[in-house]
Structure formats: C-alpha cells, structure tokens
Amino acid sequence: MSTTAGTTGATGATVRPLAWTDIPDLVRLEGEAFPDDAWSEASWWGELAGRPRRDYLAVERDGEITAYGGIDHGGQVADLMTIAVAPGHRGSGVGGELLTDLEERAAAGGAEALMLEVRADNGSARALYDRRGYAVLTVRRGYYQPGNVDALVMRKMLGERGAQA
C-alpha cells in the first residue's frame, strides 16, 4: 500500500481514509480487537472530528473493513493513536502494510519519529513493532485496566526502516 488513498497493496486490500459512515463498523471491530478497552462511538466521533491533525485510514477487502489505524500529526513527533486488524484477517500482512502507510503519512507530515503505546501482553503487535525498528522507551505499569496490564511506550525514528512485514 502507499499513502495514496484507493491504492491496492500486496495483500489485495485497498486503503482509504476513514469516513463518518464507518463508525458503526469501527465500534464493532474495536469490541472484537480490544474487548477490555475498546473505543466507544463517541470516542470515534471525537477522533474523526480532529482532522486534519488526526489522520485515520481504513483497509478494505471485498467491501469489508479488515483493518484501521490512525496517527496524530504532532510536529516532529507523531503518535500512532490506534491500529487494529479484524480477527479473521490477522496474519495476512494487512497490519504491516497499514503500519507502513501510517509511517509514510507521519513522515510526509514532517514527523521525524513515531510514538506508540502497546499492551505488554499483545505479543503479535509487539513482534511487528520489534521487526519494524520500534524501541521501548519506558513502561507504564498497570496502565491498561481492567487487568492491570503494562503499556510499553515505543518509538521509531522514521529514517530507520526496520524489516518490512
């Protein structure tokens, strides 16, 4: 995929900007992807209202949203606000392609680094971020509730590509 909306990547999926009409699907997918701390409908309305500083993409295959993610353009440092892949599409490479798009959009917006937080118990996300060159800066103990799960704060300098996957 690339930063151009409507393009198709190696996985056969198409990337496009999120639309207001996607909110019901996003709420459903959030509940599947993050059952303990899913964003609400009101949260999504607020996030999409934050454009252009907030920049969200959907990945579609056969008319279905299979992944979504977004960044906050904060100047030299952008923040990955969320990224998720629908359970039935995990392991397909869609998440890695979406992360590439988000990194490219952050760099195009002037960011030198991309920051994120990830649950310490999310092994697949951590493995992706490790392969892509993200480094743990700090740990927020017991950040995710319920469950008292730590958050790893990670950063990637956008000039460092890391392995693509």
Side-chain angles (χ1 to χ4, degrees):
M1 285 188 240
S2 72
T3 59
T4 305
T7 58
T8 302
T11 63
T14 302
V15 64
R16 64 168 176 78
L18 276 179
W20 299 104
T21 55
D22 293 324
I23 289 176
D25 290 331
L26 297 173
V27 171
R28 179 183 52 79
L29 290 169
E30 273 283 305
E32 293 173 6
F34 308 112
D36 292 333
D37 49 10
W39 287 4
S40 67
E41 182 175 336
S43 295
W44 277 111
W45 279 101
E47 288 297 308
L48 294 183
R51 293 182 281 198
R53 181 175 167 133
R54 297 288 170 101
D55 189 0
Y56 284 92
L57 299 174
V59 178
E60 281 189 341
R61 182 179 287 148
D62 301 323
E64 173 189 0
I65 295 177
T66 59
Y68 57 88
I71 57 174
D72 177 76
H73 293 283
Q76 291 180 320
V77 178
D79 290 295
L80 182 68
M81 300 303 295
T82 190
I83 188 168
V85 177
H89 296 274
R90 291 181 182 153
S92 69
V94 169
E97 286 186 358
L98 178 57
L99 183 59
T100 296
D101 278 350
L102 295 169
E103 290 172 349
E104 289 174 356
R105 290 173 88 89
E112 296 173 5
L114 185 60
M115 301 279 296
L116 62 86
E117 291 177 358
V118 63
R119 288 176 64 104
D121 62 357
N122 188 339
S124 59
R126 290 187 57 201
L128 173 62
Y129 299 141
D130 288 344
R131 284 193 310 270
R132 297 296 291 274
Y134 288 81
V136 175
L137 296 180
T138 191
V139 177
R140 293 185 174 155
R141 302 280 177 216
Y143 180 80
Y144 290 102
Q145 300 295 329
N148 205 35
V149 178
D150 295 345
L152 305 179
V153 178
M154 303 181 83
R155 178 185 67 196
K156 177 180 180 178
M157 300 309 293
L158 293 174
E160 301 169 9
R161 295 298 297 170
Q164 298 298 308

